Each structure stands twice: as C-alpha cells, then as structure tokens.
Amino acid sequence: MWLYGNVSTTVIDPVQLTASDRCDACGARAYVRVELESGSLLFCGHHANQHLDKLSSTAKHIHDERSLLSEESAS
Ligand SMILES: [Zn+2]
C-alpha cells in the first residue's frame, strides 16, 4: 500500500531518457536503456548497435529511443 500512497507530481517519467543520461561505454548521450536483473545499462546509438544483440537475451526490458537519434542527426 505504501508503494501507491504518495506518488509525486513532479517526477519525470523514468522511462524517458534525457540529455543527462550518458552511455556507460563512451559517455555520449544515451538513447537506449537496457534493464537487467542486476540493474540498468545505458548506451548511445553506436554502442547499442554493438551490444544489444548480446544483451537482448538477458534483458528484462529494453527502452529504445534510437528513432530520435536519426531525427537529430538528420538536421
Ligand atoms: Zn557509447
């Protein structure tokens, strides 16, 4: 019950990645979050391409915003 009793109004949706989320491999802006049993990993588009195949079998959830990346790099 305590889990649902005090949902804050100002918390940003934790699913959304922001400019402060950085790739664990190179420090660039992260566009993919991989949630594992042990925690979560953040990857830029480049490293997501490198690691996602391997991680997808063990990941509980993969949040992928690489569609945003292609929009930005096009401009
Ligand atoms: Zn990276």
Side-chain angles (χ1 to χ4, degrees):
M1 197 177 293
W2 52 271
L3 272 175
Y4 305 107
N6 190 27
V7 177
S8 170
T9 54
T10 53
V11 172
I12 297 167
D13 182 355
V15 169
Q16 195 79 34
L17 294 169
T18 70
S20 62
D21 290 311
R22 296 288 158 179
C23 174
D24 285 326
C26 72
R29 180 171 174 177
Y31 285 92
V32 177
R33 184 174 59 229
V34 181
E35 292 175 13
L36 304 165
E37 288 291 341
S38 53
S40 60
L41 293 169
L42 296 169
F43 291 115
C44 65
H46 175 76
H47 283 109
N49 290 338
Q50 277 190 354
H51 297 295
L52 225 53
D53 274 356
K54 199 166 48 183
L55 288 169
S56 58
S57 56
T58 52
K60 292 195 298 182
H61 178 71
I62 294 173
H63 177 71
D64 191 340
E65 291 185 4
R66 278 178 294 173
S67 56
L68 301 177
L69 182 63
S70 54
E71 279 173 26
E72 279 189 13
S73 59
S75 65

